[in-house]
Amino acid sequence: MQYDSGVCQTLVAFSLGFWLLPCAAAELTREGVIAIIAEAGSQRPNLIKKDLSGLDLSGIDFNKADLFSSNLDGAKLTAARLVGVNLNLAQMRNANLQNANLSYASLYGVLMDYADLSGADLSRSRVTGSLNNVNFAGAKLAQANLGPNSASPRQLRDKLEINNAILNDADLSGANFNYALMSNTSLRHANLSGGQFIWADLSGANLDGATISGADFRSANFDDANLSNVKGADTALGFKK
């Protein structure tokens, strides 16, 4: 079938217009989220599977809300209080969680690539999933559990991918990173003391000035890693320069 040039231009313009249409908006507003939390009272606010993508939710106290499988892609959650929330299987790609409090939160199987968690508190949280290129600079992950549920994780949701991430000056003391994929991560001056990194892939990682006293690196991969000026290497298990 033949088309003249005018028809072809119209078809091309229509196609481009279709693909450039804005993404569907979130199903709730900031005010709507706050209302749901307030109406829950002493109960756990129900935000299960809600589309909250792109919303400005900064500074909100989520009161241990259930955000299971919610969509928070591109959401702004700076300084939000997310203590003890359920974010299992949530989408949080490109989300801004600077200085947010996620201590004791559950983030099993999250999709959080390119999120900004600089200065965030994830102490004693549970985290697995895809966190590639995440910024954890200055974050607190003390006693956090980022290891798989089994010794041989087969699904992405049960393991941790945190390749190319920034963890400079982060507190990872006592955290579980067993089997984590951490290639090319930056851990400059981070505190890894007492942490577990058994079978972790730290190839190409930068540990310049990191503290690793009492950490367990048995069977970890340090190929091409920068191990300059590490502190406490004499008490770290399985650590070899």
Side-chain angles (χ1 to χ4, degrees), residues 54-228:
L55 290 183
D56 183 352
L57 304 170
S58 54
I60 292 178
D61 185 343
F62 281 80
N63 192 27
K64 299 183 179 179
D66 193 343
L67 289 144
F68 173 81
S69 196
S70 58
N71 182 357
L72 288 154
D73 285 344
K76 184 177 181 181
L77 292 143
T78 54
R81 184 173 173 79
L82 295 151
V83 178
V85 299
N86 176 13
L87 282 161
N88 294 340
L89 303 185
Q91 299 176 44
M92 306 180 75
R93 290 161 293 201
N94 294 292
N96 186 343
L97 293 119
Q98 290 179 313
N99 301 310
N101 189 342
L102 294 111
S103 56
Y104 295 92
S106 183
L107 297 95
Y108 175 81
V110 294
L111 298 178
M112 197 182 270
D113 298 330
Y114 293 97
D116 186 353
L117 289 107
S118 54
D121 186 354
L122 291 95
S123 303
R124 298 184 182 276
S125 61
R126 176 74 176 107
V127 187
T128 66
S130 181
L131 289 85
N132 297 306
N133 299 284
V134 167
N135 183 3
F136 274 115
K140 300 176 183 177
L141 292 102
Q143 303 296 321
N145 182 6
L146 299 96
N149 288 337
S150 63
S152 301
R154 296 182 179 181
Q155 297 181 344
L156 174 59
R157 66 179 60 178
D158 192 38
K159 62 183 178 181
L160 179 70
E161 285 191 9
I162 191 169
N163 303 302
N164 304 300
I166 298 172
L167 293 124
N168 299 333
D169 301 299
D171 181 3
L172 314 180
S173 58
N176 176 9
F177 280 84
N178 290 342
Y179 296 91
L181 303 179
M182 307 176 68
S183 64
N184 301 307
T185 56
S186 183
L187 292 144
R188 296 184 67 249
H189 304 290
N191 181 6
L192 285 67
S193 59
Q196 298 179 53
F197 298 85
I198 299 171
W199 287 104
D201 180 5
L202 287 154
S203 57
N206 185 357
L207 284 85
D208 179 35
T211 300
I212 63 171
S213 53
D216 191 343
F217 294 102
R218 286 175 294 177
S219 300
N221 180 3
F222 285 103
D223 290 349
D224 299 317
N226 179 3
L227 306 175
S228 303

